[in-house]
Amino acid sequence: MVSTQQDSAAHPVHSDARDAIVIDGVSKVFRPRRGGTVTALENMSLTIAEGEIVSLIGPSGCGKSTLLMLVAGLDTPTAGTVTVRDAQVNKPNPDVGVVFQKDLLFDWRTVIENVLTPFVMRGQSPKQHVRRARDLLAQVGLAGFEDRRPYELSGGMRQRVALCRGLIQDPDVLLLDEPFAALDALTREQMQLDLQKLVVGSRKTGVLVTHDIAEAVFLSDRIAVMSARPSRIVEIIDVDLPRPRTAEVRESPEFATTHARVHSLFKKLGVLHG
Amino acid sequence: MADTAILTPAPASRPPATTKVKGLPRVRVGGRAGWTVIAMIVLIAVWAAAVALFSPKSYILPSPWTVGKRLWTSREQLIRNGGPTIKEILEGYVIGVLIAVPLGMVIVASKWLNRLLYPLLIAFNSIPKVALAPLFVVWWGYGETPRIVITFSIAFFPVLVNTVTGLGGVDPEMVRLARSMGAPKRRVFVRVRLPQALPSIFAGMKVATSLAVIGGIIGEFVASDKGWGYLLIQAQGQLDTSLIFAIIVLLAVFATILYYVVEFIERLTIPWHSSQRQN
Ligand SMILES: Nc1ncnc2c1ncn2[C@@H]1O[C@H](COP(=O)(O)OP(=O)(O)OP(=O)(O)O)[C@@H](O)[C@H]1O
Ligand SMILES: [Mg+2]
């Protein structure tokens, strides 16, 4: 695989950091009931350093979500191994927070109860975490909404609640599967800033699946570009933009260059036809 | 949808403190009850107009006033017979709900029971329960037992089916989310499946209220020496139409009250559901 050599060279910023996620020769074959097989991933390898944010970007159906589910321990690879912080993944891990594309809030729980759900799901009392939940909500501009129900919130507010829920256990690794795809452009930009504040500030490792090149460039240290099935990582692009990144970064020439690189790669792959 | 709240977070978007009183959810039956009264008045007016216009024989269609008077003059008889009927209906209904909901949970939780029991129950449901009434009388005689069993057997199924479909129709992504948080199966059931199924269970319970009333009356048609159903048969034999109408009115009132009681419990239980949101 072209990718393997490139990703083993860790990102310069974190060259001394440990590996947070090691995806080693992972394949995933689905066997749908009506017969046949779907090879979603084939012999994929990728190493992500601690504190790094890596985006997975690629055509629809290439297996990005599948890969994320494997890292989250919600599915098992057909071949190969996934290791998170030196432990092989075989079941969900509380040190790994997941935020899905749909916000998946529980209608019957208030905003703060939703943020505290992970503790309840593990059979722990959420009481001593209420303060942190309030803090997180305040950081994303939701102070005062703690006792509201999800249906009283806008789509962007709901997704922010889901983000806080993904962060409440202070996971070392955060997996984000197109968390902002359903949001309008303005809200998405705000959410990207929020996410950067919450994740980069605490040196968490992040894996972000996205369709949005600008989002990938803005948030990541590296961008892994995937091809259509049978998918592989075609290229890994470093993003050398200083952190913390402000909205102005989007106007910078470096941003434009990186954006153009990813874009031209998609054209070359035939994902975008001109 | 880009509300200003997103661009200028905290203070501006803080909701006014007085919007929600903690504690019991606000229950607003007032509006709907108002419309119910208006609808009733219209209905009675049309009825009265029809009687005035076509002046049918009173054993065909008595006027609302005749029926109203009859409700009053026969009140002692109506109340005496209402007691057993209401008791049977309530018992059959409550037993039906108390068995159907847990049974539905078990059926969903266990793959084997699902495969074995559910098809049987569906087959049983397709039998017209009225046809079973004589059998129940043979088994349990002329006491109230066969009548409760008939009520139960009719009210039971919509609750069961709605419990099963509600619990089964859970969003698989919700389940995956709960699992990603480390919830074991049982906790996923209690914390995700069950709450998400409650609206469906309540829908079944509301449908079951009117079916329970039907069951109670059928039971009395077949086997009884008291109750509103028995009285209906008596009145029919004597062409006592105003008494029939009086009982119909009482049954309608009772069924409506039963429905709203269940709906009231629903509002208290699932104030978060879209069907319960006031606006
Ligand atoms: N449970 C499953 N059973 C069968 N096939 C599946 C299953 N889950 C995913 N697939 C297949 O695996 C492939 C990859 O799916 P995946 O959801 O990972 O794509 P994706 O890259 O996340 O796409 P998108 O960008 O549209 O979300 C698809 O072809 C899909 O049809
Ligand atoms: Mg996906």
Side-chain angles (χ1 to χ4, degrees), chain A residues 64-66 101 177-178 209:
Chain A
K64 305 179 294 292
S65 300
T66 306
Q101 175 170 352
D177 191 357
E178 304 190 43
V209 169

Side-chain angles (χ1 to χ4, degrees), chain A residues 121-123 145 148 151 160, chain B residues 6 13 15 181 187 277:
Chain A
M121 290 297 173
R122 290 172 63 200
F145 285 90
R148 296 295 190 99
Y151 65 83
R160 276 180 269 172
Chain B
I6 282 145
S13 61
M181 296 168 175
R187 205 170 290 130
R277 291 168 204 160

Side-chain angles (χ1 to χ4, degrees), chain A residues 216-239:
Chain A
V217 176
F218 183 75
L219 285 171
S220 351
D221 299 304
R222 290 191 295 156
I223 302 173
V225 180
M226 292 169 75
S227 68
R229 277 192 300 123
S231 61
R232 54 194 188 87
I233 295 177
V234 179
E235 196 166 325
I236 296 190
I237 294 172
D238 289 335
V239 184

Side-chain angles (χ1 to χ4, degrees), chain A residues 4-19:
Chain A
T4 330
Q5 285 75 33
Q6 280 162 322
D7 28 307
S8 51
H11 189 258
V13 178
H14 307 296
S15 54
D16 52 341
R18 293 199 301 150
D19 294 338

